Amino acid sequence: MSFCDRVYTIVAKIPKRKVATYGQIARLSGNAKAARAVGMCMRTNPFAPQVPCHRVVGSDGSLVGFSGGEGVSTKKSMLLKEGVRFTKDKVDIVRSQWNTGVS
DNA sequence: AAACTGACTTCTC
DNA sequence: GGAGAAGCCAGTT
């Protein structure tokens, strides 16, 4: 069980039409400052369809990362199909950020 | 085992 | 508001 495994589990739990930030996942995984490590785990992503890495965005909803297809463009398209609201080139983090249950 | 890199975040200018 | 620099973590070489 490695840090990445926790990340995969958390990302896999992101509800549809919602997105989470690397920092948030890092925090949920136990290391608030491991945002970078989270990104690396996503890049490794041994659970591609199982772990919706496209639902993971930057701290401000910015489409960072994603090495597949057309990059952020494909990521954006997938999120749009998921029903995630977009503001120009960024996810409407205000409306679509994953609420972990912490009020 | 050590050093480098990377899908990040945040502060300061 | 935009650009630049520093800090942290885990994985890969």
Side-chain angles (χ1 to χ4, degrees):
Chain A
M1 195 64 162
S2 302
F3 174 78
C4 288
D5 293 313
R6 276 187 304 241
V7 176
Y8 300 136
T9 305
I10 293 164
V11 175
K13 281 172 188 152
I14 300 175
K16 291 185 183 242
R17 295 164 71 265
K18 293 268 175 170
V19 296
T21 68
Y22 288 94
Q24 186 169 8
I25 293 164
R27 197 158 86 96
L28 293 172
S29 65
N31 296 312
K33 297 171 183 142
R36 282 181 106 168
V38 175
M40 177 167 290
C41 296
M42 293 293 97
R43 191 189 188 213
T44 326
N45 194 8
F47 303 92
Q50 195 175 149
V51 179
C53 37
H54 60 268
R55 281 187 205 155
V56 186
V57 299
S59 60
D60 196 18
S62 309
L63 272 58
V64 290
F66 207 73
S67 304
E70 298 299 306
V72 298
S73 304
T74 304
K75 185 169 179 174
K76 181 181 172 190
S77 300
M78 285 194 284
L79 288 170
L80 284 168
K81 285 177 72 171
E82 295 272 318
V84 177
R85 283 170 178 271
F86 262 76
T87 304
K88 284 173 161 282
D89 297 15
K90 295 194 187 96
V91 177
D92 191 343
I93 198 70
V94 183
R95 296 234 262 171
S96 300
Q97 182 171 37
W98 180 29
N99 188 334
T100 57
V102 183
S103 301

